[in-house]
Amino acid sequence: MHCVTTPSPPTPSASGRLVVHAVPLATDNLGWLVVADGQAAIVDGPEAGPVLAACDALGVVLTTVINTHTHGDHIGVNRDLARRGLLGGLRVIGPAAVAAQIPGLTDPVRPEQTIHFAGVPGRVILTEGHLDGHVSYHFEDLAFTGDALFTGGSGFLFSGPPSAMLEGLARLAALPPETWIFCAHEYTEDNLRFALTLEPDNPALVRRVADVAARRARGEATVPERLAVELATNPFLRTTSPELLASLARELPDAPLDTPVAVYAATRRLKDLKRHRR
Ligand SMILES: [Fe+2]
């Protein structure tokens, strides 16, 4: 059973030309169906069944798959569509750096390249660190960040190094603050529980923790969220917060904290210890 029983309502882009529909997948994956002019693009996912059902329900045709990276729960939708004989006719957009690992790839893309969906331009943003080749996609005020920037957190460092993740997060943090962040998992509540151990006196964070807890208790999704909220509360975007730095120094007395990369790495290390779950 999926951890979200009440998906987020559809999100229109600033111009209204794109509308993003949530498709809960597997147990905590969030597939994002971008709809325009009767056609749809699915951004990542472990499976195709609920994506095709959502297209049927909306009366739109799946024409495009957009992949952020090559983990199985992101390109699984490609494999599932291939099994059903449906991948061949689709446009598949994914990072050129890992092209051989993306089933059905037709449009290999490079960082800072401009792509179009239904005539709407989007920017490819390099966001490695979680996994080599990982990119995010930015259309109007919508950013699809895969497992790089999560609401309230950021993805595990499978490939690293920490500097690659921090550089990618900085590129996302530089987007307009009203940008909606669409990440690939419903992890916000656990992410914020960790954030609160670092900044218990951050009033924006305290408010968000209460809001997210209430929404999750009702089975609601907490994605997407505005970048402005992330900048105010997400510890991985707050490497200069004095309270966060003091907490890190107390929790990891041996960790260097003299550069933003060192602060990011210490934050990552502390989260991976999972003390906040005890
Ligand atoms: Fe991943």
Side-chain angles (χ1 to χ4, degrees):
M1 181 166 159
H2 201 278
C3 69
V4 170
T5 53
T6 307
S8 299
T11 307
S13 67
S15 73
R17 292 168 73 191
L18 303 175
V19 178
V20 186
H21 297 262
V23 186
L25 298 167
T27 55
D28 57 34
N29 282 82
L30 298 170
W32 299 109
L33 194 68
V34 186
V35 171
D37 303 334
Q39 57 171 306
I42 183 67
V43 183
D44 288 343
E47 56 181 336
V51 177
L52 295 168
C55 288
D56 282 349
L58 293 164
V60 298
V61 178
L62 185 69
T63 62
T64 307
V65 178
I66 300 177
N67 296 123
T68 61
H69 68 293
T70 55
H71 275 151
D73 60 324
H74 295 254
I75 58 166
V77 64
N78 308 41
R79 291 181 180 140
D80 196 357
L81 287 165
R83 271 194 294 273
R84 296 164 187 255
L86 297 174
L87 190 62
L90 300 187
R91 183 181 177 209
V92 178
I93 300 169
V98 287
Q101 299 173 52
I102 301 176
L105 184 67
T106 60
D107 292 33
V109 295
R110 300 206 175 273
E112 301 307 322
Q113 184 176 335
T114 299
I115 61 170
H116 291 83
F117 175 70
V120 178
R123 172 187 165 213
V124 180
I125 302 174
L126 183 63
T127 48
E128 291 187 303
H130 174 70
L131 198 65
D132 286 345
H134 192 303
V135 296
S136 297
Y137 299 90
H138 179 224
F139 295 88
E140 296 190 3
D141 59 344
L142 316 172
F144 299 93
T145 60
D147 290 352
L149 176 61
F150 284 132
T151 47
S154 78
F156 184 75
L157 285 182
F158 286 101
S159 294
S163 59
M165 178 64 98
L166 188 62
E167 286 162 14
L169 293 178
R171 291 183 191 103
L172 296 172
L175 296 175
E178 66 273 19
T179 305
W180 288 109
I181 302 300
F182 292 86
C183 58
H185 292 274
E186 178 60 59
Y187 288 163
T188 321
E189 191 169 25
D190 180 68
N191 286 338
L192 293 181
R193 192 172 298 143
F194 170 68
L196 196 62
T197 67
L198 294 177
E199 293 191 287
D201 294 330
N202 175 343
L205 178 57
V206 171
R207 276 197 305 277
R208 188 181 185 194
V209 165
D211 175 55
V212 163
R215 286 157 72 183
R216 292 297 301 129
R218 296 192 292 265
E220 295 174 13
T222 63
V223 190
E225 186 51 274
R226 298 277 193 190
L227 177 60
V229 174
E230 298 303 325
L231 293 170
T233 56
N234 186 324
F236 294 97
L237 301 179
R238 297 180 55 74
T239 54
T240 59
S241 156
E243 187 185 13
L244 180 137
L245 289 166
S247 296
L248 288 174
R250 185 182 64 244
E251 294 294 321
L252 297 172
D254 62 325
L257 299 172
D258 51 339
T259 65
V261 172
V263 174
Y264 167 80
T267 308
R268 181 74 256 168
R269 193 177 127 204
L270 185 59
K271 179 147 198 276
D272 293 343
L273 293 175
K274 298 184 168 59
R275 292 177 190 162
H276 65 287
R277 292 186 185 168
R278 284 178 206 157

